[in-house]
Amino acid sequence: MICGRKARPAAEQPRSPPDGSGGPRRAGRALKKMGLTEDEDVQRMLRGSMLRKVKSRGGPRERLFRLQEDGATVCFERGSRRSRSRQSFSVTHIEGVREGHQSEGLRKHGAAFPAGLCFTLVFRGKRKNLDLVARGEEDARHWVQGLTKLMGQLQAMSQWEKLDHWIHGVLQRADRDKDNKMSFREVKSMLRMINIHMDDGYAYKLFKECDRSGDERLEGRELEEFCRRLLRRPELEELFGRYSGEDHVLSAEELRDFLRDQGEDASLRQARAVIHTHELNDTGGDEDGQLGGMVEWWMLARQQDLMMLDGFMMYLLSPAGDIFNQEHARVHQDMGQPLCHYFISSSHNTYLTRHQLGGTSSTEAYVRALMAGCRCVELDCWEGSDGEPVVYHGHTLTSKILFRDVIETIRDYAFKQSPYPVILSLENHCGLEQQATMARHMKAILGDMLLTQPLEGQDPHSLPSPEQLKGKILVKGKKLPESWHRPQGVTSLQDPEEEEEEEEEEEEEEKLQERSRWQSLQPLQEVKPVQAKEALQVAPELSAMVVYCQAVPFPGLAQALRHPQPCQVSSFSERKARKLIKEAGPALAQYNARQLSRVYPGGLKMDSSNYDPQEMWNAGCQLVALNFQTPGYEMDLNAGRFLGNGCCGYVLKPPSLRNPPGDASPASPHLALHIRVITAQQLPKLSRETGSSIVDPLVRVEIHGFNPRWEETLSFQVRAPELALLRFVVEDHDSTSCNDFVGQFTLPLASVREGYRHIHLLSKDGTSLSPATLFVHVRCKRL
């Protein structure tokens, strides 16, 4: 459902006294607020260091890296001597800092440098790692420690402080002559940067009102006043006035009433706690005493359990005012049920960083998937040279990585994001000798993490729970029958003619078609044909690794329901899964209540695109595998599905999808959902190169500009709220072509909080667009 793009402009408000609502900070003030002004590591970063960038192509190039005084931006030069350009990145976009040779890039291309000089910056989203080498160990240590401190401080910032950082950065970019003063021309440039389309006459009128000195320049408090007016939130002022009355001060009793209207069970004690947490009590930043009596008034209000407009805004911008229920940010579901009762975050072709024909295979792709909460990763294993199996998309131009390196990476990152079990989905194309090598590597590298025996006392007719399997790695693959004995160790599961007819081989068949098509386009590529005989053989050493995830051909629903096998897993292409859902959806849901099933993208999708996972979840499929390297609508839904329950990668299915056949399930109540989209704040520009371009925002709300205002209410009737996802999408409307994506946020409907809420938007690859938000009102009613 779409909320109309024509936003009503907010009415011009009368001038108000300084309220501390987000003016810019002078250079260095941000570091003072963090308490890092005198920090030795940060001081070294401010002075700058010569660091080498290690890349796969070309030799390492030395560049000057320097932290900016906002404490959140690092600048450096890039390019050749003839054409250099200044580049930067935000510390807030760094996910982690690794010391030494702890990245694939440094292990391959930086091994000649001592480990003490090397470190890696790992970025959120799709941005590649930045592998760096310092001139000395002391320099490297300063950058590693300094970045770690800054990341911690920036992550702990309130939304209000993030907004302050953002506007400060914009002011720095707009101040072309770097004199800490803003001419009207520079002000107009700033307005374009922050996506404000404002009439020149009105902008100049506002500029003159703030230019107290009359010198046609804004500086210091004048500039703060100007920015404060831009950042005003009339809709929040109206809401605050509705509860506070004529005195424009919110008492604890009035705040309690507001919280109850938000759907929260609030007491006076809780209301006072909110005031003490969010009411301004910070005198930092008033070093020159220009705020005067305002600081005293803030402190007095807080002492008397009163909340002013600024404190109210800070509360609504905090996690307490977020649409996402913060209680769901931790594991809160029952984790003691069988594995088949959970949706499990799953990746397809996990090793790829791009498309599946000529893309790069990388162990870093496993790191990103596991750190995103993925609990089932795929390994396409092929014969490699020197007796070492490799992982890649066979018979294509994708690069190869050693199976051993993948297993080491999984060992190091499997349980950093979540303690719950990881499933290794093996697509095995190796001969018996290298299969045995795979088994030896897994046993030696994973050690006690690897589950090789059924849990003691576990009912053989039921799968164990995620709680029972904490810290364990399970192998999904083919398993020999227990009674099978062959003297030479050459074991075959089926005749070739029989196996070709089985649905479990559909994935390999589609991939073979895809590879044949690719080979026809690459006549000069030397390829080694897949030996069908090898696919029918399983080494006993590898078979012994498979316990609870035995890959088998799908026997058909009738037989599977008559004779359930909890430890067996069947795989379906998206096409086969849709066919089953269409023909026998309820029966498939019953099947999935007893054992695991895996769905994967069609093999002919050469661009590594994805399918809609929602219909597979609706049928109870647990391992709905997607290409994590391909951002878009489908991965937004996947991220939303696993946002709750602490992002642990396991989400309990609703009762109707986990009760065994014949058991009565309570019907889920229908839900009436009403969402009023009120405003948007600080939407990012899509292109800095197009200076005059202003985003014309359109908001789409799906159930499955600068501060523009809509005040439109969207209504939905939801039949299965436990399965539903709510997605908010902001686009730049274009009447002549496709709309451009600006930002989105997706979450489970069960995690939505009612009342007035902020939605913090994410980019296409899932990184934060802070301080960009939507402001909405949510109301739910059971039907």
Side-chain angles (χ1 to χ4, degrees):
M1 189 172 292
I2 295 176
C3 180
R5 71 181 184 89
K6 290 301 182 183
R8 298 202 301 271
E12 182 180 346
Q13 300 291 324
R15 292 178 62 185
S16 59
D19 57 6
S21 56
R25 299 188 190 277
R26 294 185 298 277
R29 181 176 172 187
L31 291 172
K32 287 182 182 178
K33 294 286 290 181
M34 296 182 202
L36 296 175
T37 308
E38 304 300 326
D39 184 86
E40 183 181 358
D41 299 320
V42 172
Q43 283 296 317
R44 175 65 66 90
M45 295 170 67
L46 287 168
R47 291 195 298 270
S49 299
M50 298 300 295
L51 303 174
R52 290 185 177 94
K53 289 177 62 177
V54 177
K55 300 194 296 184
S56 58
R57 296 181 180 179
R61 295 183 177 180
E62 201 169 50
R63 297 282 186 264
L64 176 63
F65 283 72
R66 179 181 285 134
L67 176 69
Q68 303 303 291
E69 290 185 337
D70 65 354
T73 308
V74 175
C75 289
F76 63 97
E77 287 185 342
R78 64 175 294 181
S80 63
R81 291 182 179 179
R82 293 182 179 179
S83 59
R84 288 188 176 179
S85 60
R86 194 171 188 238
Q87 301 293 315
S88 66
F89 60 83
S90 173
V91 178
T92 60
H93 292 164
I94 300 175
E95 186 173 65
V97 183
R98 304 181 198 161
E99 296 183 73
H101 299 139
Q102 291 194 55
S103 73
E104 186 177 58
L106 282 172
R107 283 193 295 267
K108 283 185 177 181
H109 310 292
F113 297 102
L117 306 182
C118 301
F119 61 99
T120 300
L121 307 186
V122 182
F123 292 93
R124 305 179 195 277
K126 295 288 288 181
R127 182 166 181 165
K128 293 181 179 178
N129 292 353
L130 185 56
D131 294 315
L132 298 170
V133 180
R135 288 183 173 180
E137 291 190 8
E138 185 180 2
D139 236 7
R141 186 170 61 253
H142 281 308
W143 276 88
V144 170
Q145 294 176 171
L147 285 170
T148 302
K149 293 172 189 175
L150 290 169
M151 288 163 56
Q153 292 289 337
L154 291 167
Q155 191 172 6
M157 277 185 174
S158 68
Q159 181 72 6
W160 203 257
E161 290 170 318
K162 291 176 183 176
L163 179 61
D164 190 70
H165 258 279
W166 173 75
I167 196 68
H168 178 72
V170 171
L171 287 171
Q172 283 189 323
R173 294 201 308 271
D175 185 9
R176 296 177 181 175
D177 52 12
K178 307 303 177 187
D179 62 353
N180 294 322
K181 298 180 182 180
M182 299 284 284
S183 66
F184 182 62
R185 182 181 178 184
E186 289 173 324
V187 164
K188 288 201 298 181
S189 174
M190 181 191 74
L191 293 176
R192 287 193 295 270
M193 286 181 184
I194 58 179
N195 212 18
I196 298 180
H197 180 63
M198 185 181 289
D199 176 75
D200 281 357
Y202 176 71
Y204 187 66
K205 176 176 177 289
L206 191 62
F207 178 88
K208 291 298 292 181
E209 287 177 355
C210 297
D211 182 17
R212 305 286 176 83
S213 62
D215 63 353
E216 295 293 324
R217 296 285 191 276
L218 299 183
E219 61 178 317
R221 297 296 298 169
E222 296 172 337
L223 200 49
E224 291 190 8
E225 172 86 12
F226 184 82
C227 290
R228 188 159 43 245
R229 294 195 184 195
L230 292 179
L231 299 177
R232 289 188 65 188
R233 299 281 302 276
E235 78 284 7
L236 293 188
E237 294 175 10
E238 294 169 16
L239 180 62
F240 182 77
R242 197 180 308 159
Y243 285 87
S244 66
E246 295 181 358
D247 59 0
H248 296 289
V249 175
L250 207 60
S251 67
E253 291 81 1
E254 290 166 333
L255 179 59
R256 178 197 59 192
D257 294 341
F258 169 76
L259 295 175
R260 287 179 175 176
D261 288 346
Q262 291 275 87
E264 300 176 25
D265 185 19
S267 64
L268 269 178
R269 182 179 179 181
Q270 290 168 318
R272 293 189 184 102
V274 169
I275 292 173
H276 285 216
T277 300
H278 299 284
E279 181 55 39
L280 294 176
N281 66 332
D282 182 14
T283 59
D286 189 36
E287 298 90 345
D288 50 11
Q290 292 190 50
L291 295 180
M294 291 301 296
V295 171
E296 294 180 12
W297 177 237
W298 286 329
M299 295 178 66
L300 182 63
R302 189 167 180 271
Q303 290 169 3
Q304 297 183 2
D305 293 333
L306 300 175
M307 177 174 270
M308 298 175 66
L309 175 61
D310 289 330
F312 184 69
M313 290 182 178
M314 290 184 74
Y315 166 73
L316 285 175
L317 283 168
S318 75
D322 197 285
I323 192 171
F324 177 67
N325 188 339
Q326 296 302 303
E327 293 182 3
H328 293 187
R330 58 177 179 81
V331 175
H332 65 95
Q333 295 179 338
D334 176 9
M335 301 303 288
Q337 300 200 29
L339 282 179
C340 55
H341 286 185
Y342 298 84
F343 297 124
I344 304 172
S345 181
S346 305
S347 166
H348 175 66
N349 288 350
T350 312
Y351 48 89
L352 290 178
T353 58
R354 294 190 292 117
H355 61 76
Q356 58 194 35
L357 292 183
T360 303
S361 303
S362 172
T363 58
E364 293 294 337
Y366 287 91
V367 176
R368 290 181 182 268
L370 291 168
M371 293 302 290
C374 180
R375 297 290 87 189
C376 179
V377 296
E378 185 179 30
L379 292 80
D380 284 3
C381 307
W382 295 80
E383 291 272 319
S385 58
D386 301 323
E388 286 292 337
V390 294
V391 173
Y392 84 114
H393 205 57
H395 301 309
T396 67
L397 294 182
T398 58
S399 59
K400 301 175 183 179
I401 50 179
L402 291 175
F403 176 84
R404 178 184 62 218
D405 290 346
V406 173
I407 298 302
E408 287 177 349
T409 299
I410 292 170
R411 173 199 64 194
D412 294 342
Y413 289 90
F415 303 111
K416 286 195 173 186
Q417 175 65 26
S418 167
Y420 295 104
V422 170
I423 300 171
L424 308 186
S425 181
L426 301 184
E427 185 180 306
N428 183 16
H429 302 273
C430 294
L432 294 173
E433 185 177 339
Q434 292 203 13
Q435 286 184 41
T437 301
M438 289 165 56
R440 286 197 301 273
H441 284 328
M442 286 193 287
K443 190 171 183 179
I445 294 169
L446 299 177
D448 291 341
M449 291 181 181
L450 185 66
L451 186 77
T452 57
Q453 297 291 334
L455 297 182
E456 187 176 351
Q458 173 64 31
D459 181 357
H461 302 293
S462 178
L463 285 168
S465 70
E467 188 66 31
Q468 290 174 291
L469 294 169
K470 262 186 175 180
K472 291 296 182 181
I473 294 176
L474 284 63
V475 175
K476 171 186 166 292
K478 294 177 182 177
K479 189 171 181 66
L480 298 172
E482 292 182 6
S483 58
W484 190 278
H485 295 285
R486 291 282 292 272
Q488 294 85 7
V490 179
T491 52
S492 177
L493 293 179
Q494 292 179 319
D495 292 331
E497 294 79 14
E498 293 174 341
E499 183 154 22
E500 287 175 358
E501 296 175 358
E502 299 292 356
E503 291 294 345
E504 202 275 338
E505 298 303 319
E506 185 174 352
E507 179 171 14
E508 293 183 14
E509 291 174 10
E510 288 195 2
K511 287 189 175 183
L512 283 172
Q513 293 177 37
E514 167 209 321
R515 289 162 189 150
S516 298
R517 182 178 177 184
W518 174 246
Q519 290 160 19
S520 69
L521 299 175
Q522 302 288 327
L524 298 180
Q525 184 188 11
E526 185 176 337
V527 297
K528 179 181 178 181
V530 174
Q531 299 295 325
K533 186 178 179 181
E534 291 185 0
L536 305 179
Q537 298 176 349
V538 180
E541 298 93 333
L542 191 60
S543 171
M545 302 283 175
V546 180
V547 181
Y548 290 118
C549 297
Q550 303 170 20
V552 298
F554 184 56
L557 281 172
Q559 181 178 339
L561 291 175
R562 282 197 304 268
H563 306 287
Q565 301 291 329
C567 295
Q568 295 182 353
V569 184
S570 293
S571 295
F572 309 99
S573 69
E574 57 177 288
R575 178 178 60 82
K576 176 64 176 178
R578 287 196 192 97
K579 183 180 179 183
L580 280 172
I581 292 169
K582 183 178 180 180
E583 295 176 353
L588 180 61
Q590 287 184 351
Y591 166 80
N592 285 324
R594 287 282 184 90
Q595 59 194 88
L596 295 170
S597 67
R598 177 176 176 268
V599 182
Y600 56 88
L604 297 180
K605 289 186 171 181
M606 291 186 289
D607 59 352
S608 292
S609 58
N610 282 309
Y611 56 92
D612 187 344
Q614 184 66 52
E615 56 185 326
M616 312 305 173
W617 291 324
N618 290 348
C621 300
Q622 303 89 351
L623 302 167
V624 180
L626 298 176
N627 290 299
F628 272 47
Q629 75 274 20
T630 307
Y633 163 80
E634 299 85 1
M635 278 304 298
D636 291 347
L637 295 186
N638 194 75
R641 170 65 62 204
F642 295 100
L643 178 65
N645 207 30
C647 292
C648 74
Y650 285 82
V651 171
L652 188 63
K653 296 196 288 187
S656 60
L657 291 179
R658 61 179 192 260
N659 286 335
D663 285 12
S665 302
S668 59
H670 292 191
L671 191 73
L673 175 67
H674 304 281
I675 298 175
R676 179 157 56 98
V677 181
I678 303 172
T679 59
Q681 294 75 43
Q682 291 82 50
L683 297 180
K685 283 179 67 68
L686 299 182
S687 174
R688 290 184 179 179
E689 285 74 23
T690 310
S692 59
S693 173
I694 299 293
V695 171
D696 185 6
L698 173 148
V699 176
R700 187 171 68 247
V701 181
E702 303 167 350
I703 192 90
H704 334 202
F706 188 94
N707 292 23
R709 189 160 186 168
W710 290 276
E711 293 282 5
E712 292 193 19
T713 299
L714 311 175
S715 298
F716 307 86
Q717 284 197 8
V718 188
R719 291 187 296 173
E722 304 100 325
L723 278 169
L725 297 171
L726 184 60
R727 184 170 183 253
F728 296 85
V729 188
V730 181
E731 298 174 339
D732 182 10
H733 178 78
D734 191 328
S735 59
T736 61
S737 63
C738 294
N739 296 340
D740 291 320
F741 177 89
V742 175
Q744 69 85 33
F745 186 74
T746 307
L747 74 165
L749 185 57
S751 296
V752 171
R753 290 197 295 181
E754 294 187 67
Y756 290 95
R757 302 292 176 185
H758 278 98
I759 298 165
H760 299 270
L761 295 174
L762 304 176
S763 66
K764 190 173 184 178
D765 63 7
T767 56
S768 171
L769 288 176
S770 179
T773 58
L774 293 176
F775 186 53
V776 301
H777 182 266
V778 181
R779 183 163 52 89
C780 300
K781 182 180 179 181
R782 293 195 172 193
L783 299 177

